Amino acid sequence: MTCPLLYRFRVIDKIPEKPSPAAVRGTLVHAVLERLFDRPAAERTAAAALELLGPQWERLLAAEPELATMFAEGEAGEAERDGWLEQARRMLERYFTMEDPRRLEPAERELFVETVLESGLKLRGFIDRVDVAPSGDVRIVDYKTGAAPRADFEARALFQMKFYALVLWRLHGRVPRLLQLMYLGNGEILRYEPDEADLRATERKVEALWQAIRRAMDTGEWRPRTSRLCDWCDHKVRCPQFGGTPPPLPVLAGGAGEGGGAGGAVPVVAVTADSDGPEYDDL
């Protein structure tokens, strides 16, 4: 949806990208909020969340040492890192102005969901939080470490949430009652109540996106789509819109590759969406 060529570089070519401080900060804040709910309700305070920040950053560094390269060496790098962590602290403090976690008992956190549509297309995703009321009503909650979008971009932001709702509906046969996006960047909350018509339309959109991907795999044509997000893209050097040349397409299992068809590629669509700053809804 953002850029077919970017999709190719990330998903087909699997070209590594340098760590993004904004995206990593989002991962860090998500990890703190997930583990905050491990504590007894009365202990879910802002102070407790801030206590988790340092250990969770160390855990991320241990798992991915290359994250240390986000900051320069020496005193300048330390100052940059400290400012980066301070922004994460402010986001965590802001979370407590938006809801009181002492009054919540999530049914699920970082829930992996997967279903197969009638067409055979498999959908996968991770949901930040699922709340279930005594009535059985389901609320899907997603934390965003950026600012809330303008009104004309809300539909794009909600697509990810409708995707999750579609998967849960197909899994359990009940439409989630509420979709809730919590923007920790500025403290706003976007809420939406979906219905079956919404989710059927989302299913048609996902199917159409998959067909577009298959066509690109058959033809080898992954067209770039320029936008302001190009300024943050790691792949400008190989993008024809900026004078670059994409590498040859890799040969995929089943015979897909340059000039070849999709062959035996497994039809899977997954949504990943933890990002801060420029956000990508990656299919």
Side-chain angles (χ1 to χ4, degrees):
M1 293 168 60
T2 301
C3 172
L5 186 59
L6 173 63
Y7 174 91
R8 187 208 129 168
F9 289 151
R10 286 180 165 177
V11 179
I12 307 299
D13 298 278
K14 300 186 185 300
I15 298 173
E17 298 177 347
K18 62 180 181 292
S20 159
V24 175
R25 183 173 50 226
T27 300
L28 175 60
V29 170
H30 277 74
V32 170
L33 291 177
E34 180 188 2
R35 284 156 182 79
L36 180 68
F37 283 99
D38 288 336
R39 299 197 173 197
E43 298 178 16
R44 298 173 195 158
T45 62
L50 295 179
E51 287 175 5
L52 289 168
L53 189 61
Q56 288 306 310
W57 171 230
E58 294 302 322
R59 182 186 64 83
L60 289 177
L61 271 179
E64 301 180 61
E66 65 273 17
L67 297 182
T69 64
M70 294 189 303
F71 310 111
E73 296 182 2
E75 293 184 2
E78 290 180 8
E80 186 181 359
R81 182 200 59 205
D82 290 346
W84 179 82
L85 285 170
E86 179 58 31
Q87 288 179 311
R89 291 188 189 95
R90 289 201 296 269
M91 290 175 185
L92 290 169
E93 291 171 340
R94 190 173 291 121
Y95 164 75
F96 287 86
T97 69
M98 302 168 72
E99 67 179 9
D100 185 350
R102 295 172 299 180
R103 301 177 61 185
L104 298 169
E105 289 299 338
E108 301 285 353
R109 287 169 285 148
E110 290 297 321
L111 175 65
F112 174 73
V113 291
E114 179 179 277
T115 193
V116 179
L117 303 181
E118 290 182 3
S119 66
L121 182 63
K122 182 181 292 185
L123 308 184
R124 294 174 178 168
F126 282 91
I127 303 176
D128 286 349
R129 197 178 90 205
V130 178
D131 300 333
V132 180
S135 63
D137 286 344
V138 171
R139 176 172 65 180
I140 299 174
V141 179
D142 194 81
Y143 309 117
K144 294 293 187 188
T145 47
R150 302 195 308 269
D152 49 340
F153 285 94
E154 286 184 359
R156 181 181 177 85
L158 282 169
F159 173 74
Q160 171 200 353
M161 302 298 282
K162 291 180 182 180
F163 180 99
Y164 295 151
L166 168 63
V167 175
L168 288 182
W169 177 44
R170 289 306 188 196
L171 279 173
H172 305 301
R174 182 168 183 169
V175 175
R177 180 73 174 80
L178 185 67
L179 311 179
Q180 180 169 299
L181 279 162
M182 303 184 69
Y183 288 93
L184 308 182
N186 61 355
E188 294 186 22
I189 298 176
L190 176 59
R191 297 182 177 91
Y192 185 82
E193 296 183 11
D195 56 26
E196 284 195 17
D198 279 326
L199 302 190
R200 292 187 190 280
T202 300
E203 184 170 334
R204 291 192 298 271
K205 183 172 184 176
V206 170
E207 294 276 13
L209 285 166
W210 176 248
Q211 292 305 316
I213 292 168
R214 292 299 298 262
R215 285 194 299 272
M217 293 178 72
D218 287 339
T219 64
E221 293 183 9
W222 300 87
R223 298 180 179 178
R225 181 178 301 143
T226 56
S227 72
R228 65 180 183 85
L229 296 177
C230 295
D231 293 337
W232 290 276
C233 185
D234 279 357
H235 305 286
K236 287 179 72 171
V237 66
R238 57 185 63 90
C239 177
Q241 292 295 103
F242 298 92
T245 302
L249 275 165
V251 176
L252 304 179
E258 191 164 16
V266 178
V268 177
V269 174
V271 160
T272 60
D274 286 344
S275 175
D276 181 16
E279 292 192 359
Y280 301 102
D281 290 334
D282 294 330
L283 290 174

